[in-house]
Amino acid sequence: MAQRLLGSLLVRRIDDQEVIVKIVETEAYHELDAASHTYHGKTARNGVMYGPPGYLYVYFTYGMHYCANIVCGPAGKGSAVLIRAVEPIKGREIIAMNRPENGQGINLSNGPAKLCQALRIDMQLNGHFLLDPPLILELTSPVAREQIIATPRVGISKAKDDLLRFYIRDNIYVSKLT
DNA sequence: TTTAGGATGAACT
DNA sequence: GTTCATCCTAAAA
């Protein structure tokens, strides 16, 4: 699913305006994965990951950042896909307003916490169902396999070698080229 | 161009 | 007390 979600769209309603972004980078986290929040079992924080797919899992980290995941596995499984970078498609001005100090170019949304700030995603949207407004996931046709690059994940200290990060080749909004 | 450190709070040992 | 699915700035190379 992490690969399948590449190229798909997130449609966000902010102040009665429509903002659309394309997912260009993802990471997969599963239950038997030492780097996953669910590795040590279910807690209050990661509960959404154990629910049915199609819901948003948001967590707060480093004392100041939010990151957003899409729950993908079946209910009870504790797996999700982290959205690491998106490309603005529509409503770039709204996104720039949400990132006042750093509102230029690729810096608008080329990182997991940056895109949350850009789309105003915080704990209020934790557990949100992604077929409902104000945040909707629109699956597009899959990106061709040759256009998908697989690499180790970013910023983790466990399960370092697993190739569970995926991004769209040549897209400038990818957080870190490798 | 690359690296180092600070911000800041929740979860975990 | 330590770690953490990060970001930003400033300093060093």
Side-chain angles (χ1 to χ4, degrees), chain A residues 41-145:
Chain A
K42 188 173 177 177
T43 66
R45 178 210 206 189
N46 66 23
V48 176
M49 285 181 75
Y50 287 88
Y55 284 79
L56 194 71
Y57 166 53
V58 181
Y59 67 90
F60 182 70
T61 192
Y62 290 103
M64 52 171 62
H65 295 303
Y66 297 99
C67 294
N69 301 247
I70 296 173
V71 178
C72 286
K77 267 307 182 185
S79 59
V81 172
L82 171 70
I83 309 301
R84 281 201 56 89
V86 300
E87 172 185 341
I89 301 294
K90 181 183 175 192
R92 174 180 280 267
E93 324 75 46
I94 310 287
I95 290 175
M97 276 175 43
N98 288 335
R99 291 183 45 70
E101 298 300 316
N102 331 299
Q104 288 295 314
I106 60 173
N107 272 332
L108 286 173
S109 58
N110 65 342
K114 295 182 190 180
L115 72 89
C116 281
Q117 203 180 337
L119 296 176
R120 283 197 213 165
I121 292 174
D122 59 20
M123 293 311 288
Q124 284 193 352
L125 285 173
N126 187 37
H128 170 75
F129 186 48
L130 289 167
L131 293 181
D132 290 336
L135 179 61
I136 292 171
L137 172 67
E138 268 186 29
L139 280 188
T140 56
S141 50
V143 172
R145 208 199 312 291

Side-chain angles (χ1 to χ4, degrees), chain A residues 1-8 23-29 68 70 80-86 148-154 163-168 174-175:
Chain A
M1 273 314 289
Q3 299 179 65
R4 179 68 184 78
L5 285 171
L6 291 175
S8 289
I23 298 172
V24 300
E25 177 182 348
T26 60
E27 283 179 3
Y29 289 88
I70 296 173
V81 172
L82 171 70
I83 309 301
R84 281 201 56 89
V86 300
I148 298 178
I149 313 283
T151 75
R153 291 170 292 182
V154 174
L163 299 179
L164 291 175
R165 171 175 178 250
F166 307 96
Y167 63 84
I168 299 178
V174 168
S175 67

